[in-house]
Amino acid sequence: MPKDWRNTVLPAGERARNLLAQLSLEEKVAQLSGVWVGADSAGAGVAPHQHDLADAPIDWPGLIKAGLGQLTRPFGTAPVDAALGAQALARAQREIVAAGRHGIPAMAHEECLSGFMAWGATVYPTPLAWGASFDPHLVERMAEQIGTTMRSLGVHQGLAPVLDVTRDYRWGRTEETIGEDPYLVATIATAYVRGLESTGVVATLKHFVGYSASRSGRNFAPVSAGQREIADVLLPPFEMALRDGAARSVMHSYAEIDGMPVAADPALLTGLLRDDWQFDGTVVADYFGISFLHKLHHVASDEAGAASLALAAGVDVELPTVNCYGQPLLDAVLGGRLDEALVDRAVVRVLTQKCQLGLLDPQWCPEPDVLRHLPHGIDADAADVRGTVNLDPEPARALARELAEESVVLVANDGVLPLAASTRIAVVGPLADDIAGMLGCYSFPSHIGNQFPGVPTGPRIATQLESLGAEFPAGGITHVAGCDIDGDDTSNIAAAVEAARDAEACVVVLGDRAGLFGRGTSGEGCDAVDLTLPGVQGQLLDAVLAVGTPVVLVLLAGRPYALGAYAGRVSAVVQAFFPGEEGGDAVAGVLSGRVCPSGRLPVSIPATPGGQPGTYLTARLGQRSDVSSVDPTPQWAFGHGLSYTTFDWTDVQVDDAAAHQRVDVATDGTVLISMTVHNTGPCAGAEIVQLYLSDPVAQVTRPAQRLIGYGRVHLEAGRSARLTFDVAADLTSFTGRAGQRIVEPGDIELSLAASSTDVRHRVALRLIGPERVVDRSRALVAHFAVQ
C-alpha cells in the first residue's frame, strides 16, 4: 500500500518522497516548470528573449493535465486589481488541483525587489537605496511588509533579493544591487531575506553567481573573475543569506564564468551550494536561462541537451514557463540521455517545499486570505470584488517614507543647504516633473505599467517639483525642464538658464529613467558606455552653473555618474537612488532641513567617466600609483555622506587597552572595540560608524581596505552613546594560496571611519597562533551594540 503523503505529522521530506513514489514520469516532470499566463510572444518584452521563447497561445488544459509546478507572476504581468487577481489565482489553483490525479497545487511566484511588483502596490526605494541607508533593521521591516502582502494574496515565492556585488557601474542592473562592498550587500540582503521568510514567503537569492562581474559592464557578457574574486567578493553575500537568513531558494545567474555557464555548472550548483553549504532548498532558473544554454551559450545542441545539462548541474525548476523541462526533458529521460534519478532529486526538493508551504495539507484552501477576509457583506465568489484590497496602506507608505529619508545622501554642501523657507527657487532638469526619477526598473510602473498607456500609475507618487512646491510654499518656484532625459535636443536649455538667473537658488534634477532592454538609461539590458550623464544633461548643468546662481544638484539615478567636472562648482550635491513613491518628499525634506540627511554612498562617485571598473574594493595597485598616468581615485568615496549636525568620536578602547596600544589576538579569538559618539551639533541626526580592515602583508594580494562592520546610531542633539563592535578573528579570513579560506597570523589594522577615506581612529592588532583553515561555521558578522 502506498505510503501516506498527506500525513502532516511526518517530516516534509518524507511526505515528498512518499508522494514521489506515486507519480508517473510525466507527473514528475510537470512539477519542474511553470506557466506564464498572459506573457506571450505578442506582448511587450519583460524578460530577455520573451518574444522568442514565450508560448502563444497557451493550451491551459493540456499543460495542467499532469500537474503544474509554478504559476508565474499572476499579479505582475498586467495591471490587475488585487482582489480580482486573487480570484483568478484561486480559480486557476482549483483547476490545477482538479486536473491532476493527486490534486497538487502550484506555487505562485512574483517579483518583489522594490516592493511587491503588482499594480497599486507600494513602491519602495531600490536596493541601491537600501545600501545607502546602512540600516538592515529597516530593510527587514520592509521585507516583512512585502511578504505579508504577497502571502495574503496567495503568492508563495518572491524573486528577491539581488545579492550581486557591484563591480562596474556601467552595468544596467547596478540599481538592483545593494552596493560595491560584499559585507554591506550581505548584511542588508540577509535582513531582507529574514523579513520575507518570516511571513512564509520563499526568498529567492539572485543571481548565483558572477552576473555583476561581466566584462565592460555589459548584460550577459562573459565573466573573467578569478577564484579569489568569486570566493571573497561575489560569494559571501549568498553564504550569509543562506546561513543566517535561511533563504529557501536560489536563482542561477545568466553568467558564463571562464567558459562555463552557471546554469550548467555542477561545481557551483551542487558541489558548493549543496555539498559544502548544505543548502536543501530549490534552485530555480533565471527566466529562460535553461533555453539560453542552447540558444545563447551554445553548450547544448537542442532543448533536450540544455535540460539535461541544467538538471544534472542542479537546476530544479525551469522559469518562467515550460520550454526545456517539458517534452524535451521527457525525451531525454526516455531516450536514455538523462537518468530519471536526477528528475527524482529535483522533484523531491520541489514537493518538500510545497509541503513546507502547506500546499499538500488536506486542509489547504485555494482562496487566499484576502478573499476569506473581505469586508462584511461581500462574497468572495462575487463577479466583481475590485477595489476591496488596498496594496498601498498608510503603514506601508510610512515605511517607504522612512527608508527613502534614510537613503538620501548629502554628498556635498558649501552651506547653501538647508534652503530657507522663503527662497525663490528655479527647478530645472528633465526629472523635475517626472515620476520616472523615483522608480527603479523592477517597480510595476517602470516594468509593466508603461506598456499600458491610459492606465493609472497605481500608488500616489509625487514628482520632485510637486514635493518642492509643498515643502517651500512661501518662496515661489519656477520650472523649466531644459532637456530630455536622453536625446540631443538643447533648444530648451536657454529657458532653463533664464529661470536660474531670476532665482536665489537653482535645483537641477538630473538622472535616469529606468527601463528594460534599451528602453531606459538604467535597468536590465540598459548598460552604459561610460559614466557621463545621459543625453545632454551635462550641457544643461554647465549652462546653469555659468549663471552664478547657487546650484543644488539632485541626482535621481540607478548608478553613480562621474561628477568630477562639477565638483567645487555646484553648491550642493544630493544623491538619491530611485527612492520610491515617497522619494520626492524625502529629497525635499533634506533640502529644507526637515530631514537631517544620514545616507551614505553604497557606491563610489567617480571623478571621470571612463577607466572602469573602479570600486573602492581593490588592491593597492588598483589605486592611484606612480606606475600609471590614470588616477582612479573617486570624487566621493564609498561610505561618504554629510549631515546637518556634527559628531565627535572619543575614548576608543580595544578590549581594556587604549586605542594607541597594539593588542595581540589569537587567530581563533575575538576583540571588543568600543568608543563614545557624541552629537555635538544643533539637531538630532544619525551617524554611521564604519569599521574597515587592512592587511598590510599577506600571502596573496588583498584589498587595501574592506568593510567588516558598521552601525547606525540616532542621537538627539547633545546626547552620547557608547558603541561596541565584537570582532572575531574569522573576519580577517581570505582565500589563501592553496585555495582554502584561512586566518593568517600577523599584523592587521582596523579603522573606525566615517567613510572608506575618512578614518577617525586606527587600531593595531597582531594575530598570533597557528594559521587556521575556516569553514562555513566561521563568524560572518562583527556584532554591533549601542549602550
Side-chain angles (χ1 to χ4, degrees):
M1 181 175 180
K3 294 182 179 179
D4 187 9
W5 54 270
R6 296 178 178 84
N7 185 354
T8 59
V9 175
L10 297 176
E14 183 176 345
R15 293 175 63 194
R17 288 187 292 274
N18 291 346
L19 178 54
L20 176 75
Q22 301 181 42
L23 300 181
S24 67
L25 177 60
E26 289 77 7
E27 289 169 332
K28 293 176 187 177
V29 169
Q31 291 299 311
L32 302 184
S33 60
V35 175
W36 195 1
V37 178
D40 59 39
S41 58
V46 295
H49 288 262
Q50 177 191 325
H51 297 301
D52 304 327
L53 295 167
D55 290 324
I58 289 176
D59 175 16
W60 177 252
L63 280 171
I64 65 173
K65 65 182 180 181
L68 187 66
Q70 288 262 353
L71 281 165
T72 293
R73 289 164 61 170
F75 296 90
T77 301
V80 178
D81 175 85
L84 292 179
Q87 269 188 335
L89 177 56
R91 184 167 57 251
Q93 290 282 34
R94 284 194 292 268
E95 292 171 358
I96 292 166
V97 167
R101 288 193 303 142
H102 301 283
I104 307 171
M107 285 178 62
H109 76 260
E110 293 283 355
E111 300 281 2
C112 55
L113 194 62
S114 295
F116 176 30
M117 202 177 76
W119 184 54
T122 304
V123 179
Y124 289 96
T126 56
L128 206 53
W130 311 349
S133 77
F134 277 72
D135 192 344
H137 302 292
L138 182 55
V139 170
E140 183 172 346
R141 288 170 51 206
M142 174 194 70
E144 184 177 0
Q145 189 282 328
I146 294 169
T148 298
T149 299
M150 293 169 67
R151 200 70 175 96
S152 72
L153 289 165
V155 177
H156 310 104
Q157 183 168 5
L159 304 187
V162 168
L163 293 92
D164 296 296
V165 178
T166 303
R167 303 302 284 162
D168 190 328
Y169 314 133
R170 293 174 297 179
W171 190 44
R173 304 190 79 166
T174 295
E175 64 172 75
E176 297 179 45
T177 72
I178 293 167
E180 66 185 54
D181 179 87
Y183 186 85
L184 179 66
V185 173
T187 49
I188 296 289
T190 299
Y192 182 99
V193 169
R194 282 195 297 262
L196 199 68
E197 288 279 1
S198 72
T199 67
V201 172
V202 175
T204 306
L205 309 184
K206 299 161 52 173
H207 307 87
F208 187 82
V209 62
Y211 192 21
S212 59
S214 60
R215 292 175 186 163
S216 303
R218 293 179 59 240
N219 202 36
F220 280 44
V223 172
S224 299
Q227 64 168 331
R228 287 180 182 81
E229 182 178 359
I230 294 170
D232 295 347
V233 177
L234 302 178
L235 283 174
F238 292 94
E239 185 177 11
M240 187 184 293
L242 290 173
R243 201 191 78 177
D244 294 352
R248 287 181 285 172
S249 188
V250 171
M251 175 181 282
H252 78 72
S253 84
Y254 292 131
E256 166 229 304
I257 304 174
D258 193 26
M260 177 66 80
V262 173
D265 191 349
L268 281 173
L269 299 182
T270 297
L272 176 67
L273 194 58
R274 303 288 187 183
D275 299 339
D276 294 351
W277 288 359
Q278 300 296 296
F279 175 64
D280 60 0
T282 57
V283 173
V284 303
D286 204 344
Y287 281 16
F288 305 114
I290 299 174
S291 293
F292 291 164
L293 295 175
H294 164 49
K295 294 182 176 294
L296 298 184
H297 293 298
H298 304 290
V299 295
S301 60
D302 55 18
E303 283 80 5
S308 299
L309 282 175
L311 196 68
V315 181
D316 303 312
V317 178
E318 180 178 27
L319 297 181
T321 197
V322 59
N323 283 299
C324 300
Y325 276 17
Q327 192 61 47
L329 179 56
L330 281 169
D331 292 343
V333 175
L334 295 173
R337 297 173 63 181
L338 186 69
D339 189 341
E340 188 174 347
L342 293 173
V343 175
D344 292 349
R345 181 181 71 173
V347 174
V348 165
R349 293 167 182 165
V350 169
L351 294 178
T352 297
Q353 203 151 83
K354 289 189 174 185
C355 280
Q356 294 168 345
L357 291 164
L359 294 175
L360 302 187
D361 294 353
Q363 67 272 24
W364 176 79
C365 174
E367 277 74 30
D369 287 348
V370 294
L371 296 182
R372 294 200 296 269
H373 301 96
L374 287 170
H376 182 70
I378 298 179
D379 184 354
D381 293 325
D384 192 350
V385 293
R386 78 180 71 236
T388 57
V389 177
N390 179 12
L391 296 184
D392 188 34
E394 182 50 40
R397 292 195 70 96
L399 270 175
R401 185 179 314 122
E402 187 176 356
L403 184 53
E405 290 177 353
E406 287 193 1
S407 69
V408 176
V409 184
L410 179 58
V411 177
N413 184 23
D414 67 3
V416 68
L417 294 181
L419 297 172
S422 59
T423 305
R424 293 195 323 277
I425 304 172
V427 182
V428 307
L431 283 163
D433 197 25
D434 190 337
I435 64 170
M438 308 302 162
L439 305 172
C441 181
Y442 272 75
S443 65
F444 189 88
S446 294
H447 204 86
I448 300 294
N450 55 19
Q451 300 167 26
F452 295 87
V455 175
T457 299
R460 183 181 73 257
I461 304 174
T463 68
Q464 193 61 69
L465 180 65
E466 292 169 333
S467 293
L468 288 170
E471 194 78 26
F472 295 94
I477 289 178
T478 57
H479 166 245
V480 178
C483 67
D484 296 328
I485 296 170
D486 45 7
D488 56 6
D489 184 1
T490 60
S491 61
N492 203 28
I493 289 179
V497 167
E498 290 307 307
R501 197 185 310 279
D502 294 338
E504 295 175 293
C506 182
V507 176
V508 183
V509 189
L510 307 179
D512 283 316
R513 176 187 65 255
L516 287 161
F517 313 118
R519 299 197 292 271
T521 61
S522 174
E524 186 173 356
C526 297
D527 309 318
V529 174
D530 61 29
L531 297 175
T532 303
L533 286 164
V536 296
Q537 293 184 55
Q539 294 181 47
L540 171 64
L541 181 55
D542 276 326
V544 170
L545 283 168
V547 172
T549 300
V551 169
V552 177
L553 173 59
V554 172
L555 284 163
L556 305 174
R559 62 165 63 87
Y561 284 103
L563 299 180
Y566 312 108
R569 299 168 61 200
V570 292
S571 294
V573 178
V574 174
Q575 175 78 66
F577 296 106
F578 290 141
E581 65 183 39
E582 290 286 334
D585 288 354
V587 171
V590 168
L591 267 55
S592 72
R594 173 176 56 81
V595 175
C596 182
S598 62
R600 301 293 186 264
L601 290 175
V603 286
S604 306
I605 294 179
T608 58
Q612 300 304 308
T615 75
Y616 97 102
L617 197 70
T618 182
R620 285 168 178 80
L621 283 175
Q623 300 178 333
R624 180 174 56 191
S625 73
D626 58 5
V627 299
S628 173
S629 60
V630 175
D631 183 359
T633 304
Q635 189 63 47
W636 289 285
F638 172 84
H640 167 78
L642 303 178
S643 176
Y644 293 148
T645 191
T646 56
F647 297 92
D648 277 353
W649 301 10
T650 59
D651 192 22
V652 177
Q653 287 190 304
V654 184
D655 288 339
D656 295 324
H660 64 273
Q661 298 175 325
R662 193 193 73 200
V663 172
D664 291 344
V665 182
T667 54
D668 62 352
T670 61
V671 64
L672 291 177
I673 299 174
S674 59
M675 71 172 182
T676 297
V677 175
H678 181 206
N679 184 343
T680 57
C683 63
E687 181 70 307
I688 314 294
V689 179
Q690 301 161 45
L691 181 66
Y692 292 89
L693 166 72
S694 296
D695 191 347
V697 179
Q699 60 182 254
V700 297
T701 57
R702 303 293 301 131
Q705 60 185 335
R706 61 183 177 93
L707 188 71
I708 63 165
Y710 63 88
R712 182 183 182 97
V713 58
H714 184 274
L715 292 171
E716 297 295 323
R719 300 301 297 269
S720 300
R722 188 73 179 167
L723 313 181
T724 301
F725 288 101
D726 187 345
V727 182
D730 289 0
L731 293 174
T732 71
S733 66
F734 60 91
T735 302
R737 290 184 181 180
Q740 296 176 301
R741 180 172 290 278
I742 61 169
V743 175
E744 185 180 37
D747 292 333
I748 60 171
E749 182 179 84
L750 300 183
S751 301
L752 292 161
S755 78
S756 58
T757 57
D758 184 4
V759 175
R760 304 295 176 84
H761 297 282
R762 300 184 190 275
V763 173
L765 301 178
R766 174 167 291 172
L767 294 174
I768 58 173
E771 179 178 295
R772 291 176 56 233
V773 175
V774 295
D775 58 19
R776 61 185 297 272
S777 65
R778 71 188 187 281
L780 299 177
V781 177
H783 294 286
F784 174 76
V786 180
Q787 298 174 336

